[in-house]
């Protein structure tokens, strides 16, 4: 009888340990749809910062950022350099709350160059 008791405890301990590992892994990967980086420019960055408080109020783990109403229309962009393809800024993307704070922090950094466009790494604020 003692042997089956140890076997039962071992099984329960193994299951509990496995559940803890799964919970820890899912806590680190809260947002499977979240982007790792975005491309932006000064116009979209200003729009993002103006709307930041609305985005930060989102209660879900994933924050949908939609800046499509901010993009200028009808303005002719400067011609790209011949050896570099232009990178279109992201106007819609999904981020986690830590990534949202990271983006705000990076966009507010002194001396950041956003034009014609800049790639912002969203996991660099750890």
């Amino acid at each position: 009888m003692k042997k089956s008791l140890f076997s039962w405890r071992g099984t329960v301990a193994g299951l509990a340990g496995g559940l803890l590992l799964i919970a820890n892994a899912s806590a680190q990967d809260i947002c499977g749809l979240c982007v790792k980086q975005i491309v932006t420019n000064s116009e979209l960055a200003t729009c993002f910062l103006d709307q930041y408080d609305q985005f930060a109020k989102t209660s879900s783990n994933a924050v949908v950022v939609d800046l499509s109403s901010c993009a200028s229309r009808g303005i002719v962009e400067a011609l790209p350099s011949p050896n570099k393809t232009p990178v279109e800024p992201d106007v819609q993307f999904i981020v986690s709350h830590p990534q949202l704070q990271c983006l705000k922090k990076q966009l507010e950094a002194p001396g950041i160059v956003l034009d014609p466009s800049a790639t912002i790494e969203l996991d660099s604020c750890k």
Side-chain angles (χ1 to χ4, degrees):
M1 182 141 197
K2 222 176 192 181
K3 188 173 186 173
S4 66
L5 183 61
F6 282 116
S7 167
W8 180 79
R9 284 184 182 166
T11 303
V12 170
L15 286 173
L19 289 174
L20 284 174
L21 287 174
I22 291 169
N24 191 24
S26 63
Q28 291 175 353
D29 189 27
I30 292 172
C31 181
L33 297 174
C34 293
V35 296
K36 301 290 182 193
Q37 65 183 21
I38 64 142
V39 176
T40 192
N41 58 29
S42 59
E43 181 183 5
L44 291 173
T46 300
C47 185
F48 169 81
L49 293 172
D50 290 345
Q51 297 182 31
Y52 175 79
D53 291 336
Q54 290 176 322
F55 298 132
K57 288 179 187 175
T58 304
S59 61
S60 66
N61 292 334
V63 180
V64 176
V65 177
D66 185 358
L67 303 174
S68 56
S69 63
C70 305
S72 63
R73 300 187 199 306
I75 296 176
V76 177
E77 297 291 327
L79 292 174
S81 63
N83 56 355
K84 195 174 188 182
T85 57
V87 179
E88 289 293 318
D90 297 313
V91 292
Q92 296 176 328
F93 49 91
I94 299 173
V95 293
S96 65
H97 279 279
Q99 288 175 318
L100 187 74
Q101 294 166 353
C102 181
L103 178 57
K104 180 180 187 285
K105 181 179 177 182
Q106 290 190 53
L107 292 176
E108 292 176 334
I112 186 168
V113 178
L114 297 172
D115 292 318
S117 65
T119 301
I120 308 291
E121 297 293 330
L122 300 177
D123 292 335
S124 61
C125 295
K126 293 179 181 177

